[in-house]
Amino acid sequence: MSPPAASAQVALGSLAAVPDTGAVPRHVAIIMDGNGRWAKRRLLPRFAGHKAGVDTVRRITRAARALGIEALTLYAFSSENWRRPEAEVSDLMGLLRLFIRNDLAELVADNVRLRIIGDYRRFSADLVALIDDAVARTASNTGPTLVIALNYGAQAELVAAAQRLAARAAAGEIAPEAITAEAIEAELDTHGLPPLDLVIRTSGEQRLSNFLLWQAAYAELLFVDTLWPDFDEAALGEAVAAFGRRQRRFGGL
């Protein structure tokens, strides 16, 4: 058994023997963790791990399209990542620039719509312009959606949504009782996307790290030991198969 498959089996526990129903999650989100440890194990600088991680992003986005996943959301840069050394943040921004420049043509050709969640406008002006151009060039595409979370934090997202709704209520535009779950969802960065079905975190860590907290309320969670640069097409296939073995009740029987 390959390492990715073994990780999926560990996460599933007793459900591992349940047959795969063949169900494909419409919306998958991935916390891409382990680039630094991948590099450290190879006595390489952290930048090498991040660069290998970008190569994995490329492979996994293609594999997700082949599997029929409608939306893939990748946690690329959290609002807490600013705490990292300035040189590492600069390296991450540089890799983001390269990814957009090198892969935008493929996204356009494959009818993929690029969407950004998070406050990416805190980035440098040239990077913001590059992101805006990429989003605009794919806006009319009708195929799967690639969502990149940049300077994203779920708590900040929820606070902003609550503040906007509270301001409308204070102005008399809506009644307080109109602030429903549906109203909050309409204010979130992810509005219009399919409901979140599956969250995958690589590297063995088992927490959400301020990622899609509202959206993950009834998502299936899968934690695998594989470090992100080693997470390949087969590992994604195992994750989708694991999803197919889950029994989703959404609070019912």
Side-chain angles (χ1 to χ4, degrees):
M1 182 179 292
S2 66
S7 299
Q9 296 287 352
V10 169
L12 280 169
S14 62
L15 289 179
V18 177
D20 178 6
T21 64
V24 175
R26 296 180 63 199
H27 184 178
V28 175
I30 305 179
I31 301 172
M32 307 178 292
D33 197 9
N35 291 345
R37 276 167 283 175
W38 184 91
K40 185 177 181 180
R41 290 179 184 179
R42 290 160 176 77
L43 303 179
L44 297 170
R46 287 180 63 85
F47 175 77
H50 293 312
K51 186 175 184 299
V54 171
D55 292 337
T56 300
V57 167
R58 187 172 293 113
R59 293 196 304 271
I60 293 304
T61 54
R62 291 168 180 165
R65 297 199 291 273
L67 286 167
I69 294 169
E70 295 178 33
L72 176 67
T73 298
L74 302 177
Y75 204 8
F77 191 88
S78 77
S79 52
E80 289 76 31
N81 285 158
W82 294 108
R83 301 171 186 169
R84 296 189 178 188
E86 185 177 346
E88 182 170 346
V89 172
S90 178
D91 286 341
L92 291 170
M93 297 300 105
L95 288 171
L96 177 59
R97 286 185 180 88
L98 284 176
F99 177 78
I100 294 174
R101 288 169 177 159
N102 293 341
D103 290 75
L104 180 58
E106 180 178 328
L107 296 179
V108 172
D110 288 350
N111 197 30
V112 176
R113 183 167 63 108
L114 178 65
R115 182 163 168 179
I116 307 298
I117 61 173
D119 183 19
Y120 70 93
R121 295 193 178 279
R122 182 177 170 183
F123 296 163
S124 64
D126 69 301
L127 182 52
V128 170
L130 192 66
I131 293 169
D132 284 342
D133 177 66
V135 170
R137 288 178 59 185
T138 64
S140 61
N141 288 352
T142 57
T145 302
L146 174 61
V147 186
I148 308 294
L150 296 173
N151 194 27
Y152 173 86
Q155 291 178 335
E157 177 189 31
L158 289 167
V159 168
Q163 289 176 340
R164 287 191 293 270
L165 289 168
R168 292 176 61 193
E173 297 176 8
I174 59 173
E177 55 268 25
I179 302 177
T180 61
E182 292 75 17
I184 293 172
E185 287 181 356
E187 294 292 335
L188 298 180
D189 292 356
T190 53
H191 69 276
L193 291 172
L196 183 58
D197 289 320
L198 175 64
V199 178
I200 304 167
R201 181 167 188 152
T202 60
S203 87
E205 302 294 343
Q206 298 187 20
R207 56 182 177 273
L208 292 178
S209 296
N210 200 18
F211 182 51
L212 300 178
L213 299 180
W214 176 283
Q215 297 87 341
Y218 278 102
E220 297 297 316
L221 308 180
L222 184 63
F223 303 104
V224 299
D225 294 332
T226 311
L227 300 177
W228 175 245
D230 292 327
F231 191 84
D232 58 13
E233 297 88 343
L236 181 62
E238 285 287 341
V240 169
F243 174 83
R245 290 190 287 264
R246 298 287 178 91
Q247 297 181 19
R248 309 185 74 197
R249 298 184 180 89
F250 300 97
L253 297 180

